[in-house]
């Protein structure tokens, strides 16, 4: 079905061979069998290691990541779309105060929450995004409404809130979002007058049983961000991208650098136009483009065959993957191979 879509889209057999050669198994040169469905997530990248995170904190992150994978996996297993799975997975992470999205999101310089989210589906590259949204529990659900229920792709600030209200999106009081951890971060940033402390954005990529990809990202942005600052997470092509011909990508890290190097789209373009596989495309973009400018962070990606890929230039990235017939696998530190 996916391949028929490719022919219809570009009307050329060339693309079929390009698709087949971009992500093939080294042993056979053949495309790996589709896993049926596949899901991968991140919960932010950053400068954390076993010194920074206690055993208890590590366990808590692993539990939360597994729960999110199980939620999204259940949606895909029951025949839900990749978009359904991305939204369900990210909603759980938005409600989890361990992460910098929804509840637990970092605070702006003025001590408020201004949330960003975006979603994109690979089937037709439709997408939706919101930035500077306050007062709504699930920014990712609002981004989905922008994609499916509006003729636009991006709403900001009061306009985003007005749109969210018009769709009946669930509202939440400012207190819902504030946690002691986010407040303490804000106070430290206030003392130093800096935005550098920032990680914990969440993201998800998925392949559904129909062979369609989707990607989504949700964040509070960077602690102590200035009035109206927009990071990469809601910017389609920087923080999020999905195209059934190549890959789905969700990014996390120092947003300004991810925008300057259009990270998510750059990875896609290396695959589509350069014939790269997802891992080498992602590594080149993260190391040679974004990282070379001085930025830090990483991505979770998935190719059209449901192979999850991670790439980062930080010591840590909360992450996980789960395929049909498998068990949820999670990792925290760059050196971790994913483990059940
Ligand atoms: N990329 C997000 C931003 O710059 C922050 C993060 O991913 O940690 O807003």
């Amino acid at each position: 079905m996916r391949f028929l879509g490719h022919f219809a889209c570009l009307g050329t057999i060339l693309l079929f061979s390009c698709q087949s050669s971009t992500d093939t198994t080294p042993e056979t040169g053949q495309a790996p069998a589709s896993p049926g469905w596949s899901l991968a997530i991140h919960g932010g990248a950053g400068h954390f290691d076993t010194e920074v995170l206690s055993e208890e904190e590590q366990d808590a992150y692993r539990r939360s990541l597994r729960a999110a994978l199980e939620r999204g996996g259940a949606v895909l297993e029951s025949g839900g779309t990749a978009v359904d799975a991305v939204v369900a997975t990210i909603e759980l992470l938005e409600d989890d105060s361990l992460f910098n999205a929804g509840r637990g999101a970092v605070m702006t310089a003025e001590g408020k929450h201004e949330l960003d989210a975006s979603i994109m589906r690979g089937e037709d590259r439709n997408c939706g995004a919101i930035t500077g949204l306050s007062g709504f529990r699930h920014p990712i659900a609002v981004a989905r409404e922008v994609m499916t229920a509006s003729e636009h792709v991006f709403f900001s600030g009061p306009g985003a809130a007005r749109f969210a209200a018009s769709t009946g999106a669930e509202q939440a009081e400012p207190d819902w979002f504030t946690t002691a951890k986010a407040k303490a971060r804000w106070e430290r940033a206030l003392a130093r007058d800096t935005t550098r402390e920032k990680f914990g954005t969440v993201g998800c990529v998925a392949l559904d049983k129909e062979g369609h990809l989707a990607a989504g990202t949700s964040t509070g942005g960077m602690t102590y961000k200035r009035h109206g600052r927009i990071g990469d997470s809601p910017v389609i092509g920087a923080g999020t991208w999905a195209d059934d011909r190549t890959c789905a990508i969700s990014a996390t890290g120092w947003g300004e650098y991810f925008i300057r190097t259009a990270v998510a789209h750059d990875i896609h373009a290396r695959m589509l136009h350069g014939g790269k596989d997802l891992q080498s495309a992602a590594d080149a973009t993260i190391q040679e483009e974004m990282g070379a400018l001085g930025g830090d962070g990483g991505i979770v990606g998935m190719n059209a065959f449901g192979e999850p890929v991670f790439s980062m230039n930080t010591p840590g990235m909360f992450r996980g993957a789960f395929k049909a017939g498998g068990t949820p696998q999670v990792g925290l530190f760059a050196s971790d191979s994913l483990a059940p």
Side-chain angles (χ1 to χ4, degrees):
M1 187 166 188
R2 186 166 60 235
F3 294 134
L4 285 178
H6 296 159
F7 287 126
C9 238
L10 290 161
T12 166
I13 276 181
L14 275 180
L15 183 64
F16 183 88
S17 56
C18 170
Q19 171 72 50
S20 302
S21 65
T22 49
D23 267 7
T24 54
T25 59
E27 297 78 19
T28 63
Q30 299 293 307
S34 167
W37 57 259
S38 185
L39 184 82
I41 58 175
H42 70 73
H47 294 268
F48 53 82
D49 53 23
T50 47
E51 304 279 290
V52 174
L53 287 183
S54 68
E55 291 281 336
E56 294 75 47
E57 287 170 318
Q58 294 176 38
D59 287 346
Y61 277 106
R62 288 197 183 94
R63 271 197 306 278
S64 288
L65 292 167
R66 270 189 219 108
L69 289 168
E70 275 160 9
R71 158 82 72 99
V75 170
L76 292 166
E77 181 62 32
S78 65
T81 66
V83 167
D84 292 336
V86 165
V87 172
T89 305
I90 291 183
E91 282 188 349
L92 198 73
L93 293 166
E94 286 176 337
D95 282 350
D96 188 330
S97 64
L98 277 182
F99 301 100
N100 171 21
R103 184 168 166 73
V106 301
M107 297 161 88
T108 66
E110 283 96 14
K112 296 188 294 188
H113 295 99
E114 291 179 358
L115 306 183
D116 297 338
S118 63
I119 191 162
M120 185 166 187
R121 64 183 183 215
E123 189 179 358
D124 58 1
R125 280 171 282 161
N126 197 0
C127 51
I130 48 94
T131 182
L133 182 71
S134 301
F136 290 86
R137 181 173 169 185
H138 292 128
I140 193 69
V142 179
R144 179 195 190 146
E145 290 293 325
V146 175
M147 175 171 78
T148 56
S150 89
E151 59 192 355
H152 304 299
V153 298
F154 205 175
F155 282 99
S156 69
R162 199 163 148 187
F163 173 79
S166 77
T167 67
E170 186 177 347
Q171 305 202 11
E173 294 300 321
D175 277 2
W176 163 257
F177 300 98
T178 308
T179 60
K181 195 166 111 188
K183 195 112 196 261
R185 274 191 185 143
W186 179 76
E187 276 156 6
R188 284 199 296 275
L190 186 65
R192 292 199 308 264
D193 195 34
T194 172
T195 60
R196 243 346 235 120
E197 205 177 320
K198 62 180 187 296
F199 299 107
T201 293
V202 303
C204 179
V205 292
L207 176 78
D208 61 31
K209 288 178 175 174
E210 295 292 312
H212 296 304
L213 289 166
T217 311
S218 181
T219 189
M222 288 166 73
T223 296
Y224 206 69
K225 64 185 181 183
R226 303 304 199 278
H227 36 80
R229 180 263 185 188
I230 302 172
D232 61 311
S233 307
V235 176
I236 296 295
T240 299
W241 187 262
D243 185 329
D244 281 0
R245 294 172 297 175
T246 53
C247 62
I249 302 287
S250 172
T252 176
W254 194 344
E256 280 70 9
Y257 289 89
F258 281 70
I259 293 175
R260 286 167 64 187
T261 51
V263 162
H265 185 270
D266 190 64
I267 296 169
H268 150 82
R270 284 171 193 269
M271 295 178 72
L272 186 67
H273 307 301
K276 296 279 187 220
D277 66 88
L278 176 54
Q279 186 73 64
S280 35
D283 290 346
T285 300
I286 293 297
Q287 308 297 340
E288 294 160 24
E289 293 292 314
M290 187 279 298
L293 289 187
D296 54 9
I299 63 98
V300 53
M302 180 165 289
N303 68 15
F305 306 104
E307 294 302 321
V309 155
F310 303 93
S311 185
M312 71 208 87
N313 68 351
T314 48
M317 183 164 80
F318 303 115
R319 61 198 186 281
F322 187 20
K323 281 184 193 182
T327 48
Q329 311 272 312
V330 299
L332 309 186
F333 309 113
S335 54
D336 286 349
S337 6
L338 297 200

